[in-house]
């Protein structure tokens, strides 16, 4: 039976260019439990052409990092982190099975 997760937003690997299909995870600027505000830098993303900061555009709490710094060839659209409203007690229930 699939695990039920609390209400959350999924943050996926963005396409930073029209031809980007995968990227590398650079340094995370936030950690699980951190509050996020619009404009906060969440993570550095590396492509074959550039390294860019990924700025988050919503408010919430970073529930868990599912792709660690240094991971290579992370597909565009794959889940990187779940974001919850504000109940950090729910952080530990998230896993890669999202």
């Amino acid at each position: 039976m699939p695990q039920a997760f609390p209400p959350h937003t999924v943050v996926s690997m963005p396409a930073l260019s029209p031809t980007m299909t995968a990227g590398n995870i650079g340094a995370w600027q936030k950690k699980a439990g951190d509050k996020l505000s619009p404009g906060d830098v969440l993570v550095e993303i590396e492509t074959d052409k550039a390294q860019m900061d990924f700025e988050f555009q919503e408010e919430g709490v970073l529930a868990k990092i599912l792709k660690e710094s240094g991971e290579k060839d992370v597909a565009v659209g794959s889940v990187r982190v779940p974001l919850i409203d504000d109940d950090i007690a729910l952080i530990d229930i998230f896993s890669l099975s999202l």
Side-chain angles (χ1 to χ4, degrees), residues 69-92:
S69 294
E71 289 201 37
K72 307 283 187 204
D73 297 321
V74 177
V76 167
S78 67
V79 175
R80 290 185 302 155
V81 297
L83 183 78
I84 56 179
D85 288 334
D86 61 8
D87 189 352
I88 62 173
L90 300 174
I91 288 173
D92 289 336

Side-chain angles (χ1 to χ4, degrees), residues 2 13 21 30 35 43-45 65-66 80 88 92 97:
M13 172 67 87
T21 58
K30 300 290 183 178
K35 291 188 183 239
V43 66
E44 297 169 359
I45 298 173
I65 293 173
L66 301 176
R80 290 185 302 155
I88 62 173
D92 289 336
S97 63

Side-chain angles (χ1 to χ4, degrees), residues 1-23:
M1 183 167 156
Q3 182 174 1
F5 294 105
H8 63 281
T9 300
V10 172
V11 180
S12 301
M13 172 67 87
L16 300 176
S17 74
T19 59
M20 181 178 166
T21 58

Side-chain angles (χ1 to χ4, degrees), residues 7-63:
H8 63 281
T9 300
V10 172
V11 180
S12 301
M13 172 67 87
L16 300 176
S17 74
T19 59
M20 181 178 166
T21 58
N24 302 329
I25 303 295
W28 286 97
Q29 303 301 311
K30 300 290 183 178
K31 62 185 183 317
D34 284 353
K35 291 188 183 239
L36 298 172
S37 298
D40 284 353
V41 174
L42 182 59
V43 66
E44 297 169 359
I45 298 173
E46 303 167 357
T47 69
D48 58 340
K49 298 177 183 161
Q51 178 174 325
M52 301 177 71
D53 291 338
F54 176 64
E55 292 183 5
F56 200 67
Q57 300 304 316
E58 297 180 39
E59 290 185 354
V61 175
L62 178 61

